[in-house]
Amino acid sequence: VLRFGPMQGIPIRILRVLLLATVLISPAARSDEAIVVPQPLTVSFVDRATATAQDAIDQAMDLLGIRYRRGGSSPEAGFDCSGFVSHVFREGLGLVLPRSSREMSKTGEVVHRDELKPGDLVFFNTMRNAFSHVGIYLGDNQFVHAPRSGGRVRIEDLRDGYWMKRFNGARRVNP
């Protein structure tokens, strides 16, 4: 206990705590610098949609060469077509799509072939069933997909006769 001066009768411990608090607080209390809060970025809806489509495409391109595996849905195990697309949209956009290509064909908005944009889902009849195969449109008539047993994730051209005959339609899925 302090026995003299203006703080007389206050225990030394409390004085030490007050002194420490003053030292810790004083730089912030005496700072003459203004705190600058940056303005939030204003990004148009179109720019956001383009950025997210590009995120999905970047994710897909990182997976080129991964082997096909029926029922596969990860880079480690391999991919089938819908597992590949599901993985890309989940990891690239945080968007959970249905597991099968047929169910995916029911999501989003219908897109005509001449209105395709990068990131759109493209569907094909490859097993004598509509919407039995799915890929991701890249632009310039190119799409990326996990093709078939023995194959690897790769890029194909929609103008190729095989894909032209089997094209079933496209969907645009926005997050």
Side-chain angles (χ1 to χ4, degrees):
V1 176
L2 191 60
R3 304 250 184 240
F4 57 90
M7 303 250 178
Q8 153 179 357
I10 299 176
I12 296 285
R13 268 198 209 140
I14 292 176
L15 286 175
R16 285 182 184 156
V17 169
L18 289 173
L19 180 62
L20 180 61
T22 303
V23 169
L24 292 175
I25 293 173
S26 65
R30 294 182 185 193
S31 175
D32 293 337
E33 289 183 34
I35 297 173
V36 178
V37 178
Q39 292 293 323
L41 294 175
T42 53
V43 180
S44 74
F45 178 76
V46 171
D47 289 341
R48 271 187 304 177
T50 303
T52 55
Q54 189 59 52
D55 291 341
I57 289 168
D58 291 345
Q59 178 71 29
M61 299 305 278
D62 287 344
L63 299 169
L64 286 173
I66 301 288
R67 69 187 175 98
Y68 179 93
R69 181 173 182 193
R70 183 180 171 98
S73 60
S74 73
E76 298 78 25
F79 292 112
D80 64 10
C81 66
S82 57
F84 169 70
V85 170
S86 291
H87 178 84
V88 165
F89 275 74
R90 184 178 60 252
E91 296 300 314
L93 302 175
L95 188 63
V96 177
L97 293 178
R99 179 59 179 93
S100 75
S101 57
R102 178 173 298 287
E103 291 301 311
M104 285 180 192
S105 73
K106 298 173 186 174
T107 63
E109 63 183 85
V110 173
V111 177
H112 296 283
R113 188 175 180 145
D114 59 344
E115 296 172 348
L116 285 170
K117 292 184 181 174
D120 288 344
L121 302 182
V122 287
F123 297 93
F124 305 90
N125 178 342
T126 58
M127 302 166 82
R128 298 193 174 130
N129 289 316
F131 307 107
S132 56
H133 188 70
V134 62
I136 302 169
Y137 187 69
L138 300 173
D140 296 323
N141 289 300
Q142 306 288 303
F143 71 101
V144 61
H145 67 130
R148 66 180 182 284
S149 276
R152 295 182 177 274
V153 173
R154 66 181 184 223
I155 297 171
E156 303 270 6
D157 195 313
L158 284 171
R159 296 169 295 195
D160 178 278
Y162 180 86
W163 298 111
M164 275 182 72
K165 279 195 307 195
R166 290 167 175 78
F167 183 77
N168 267 146
R171 293 286 193 162
R172 184 162 300 142
V173 182
N174 292 318

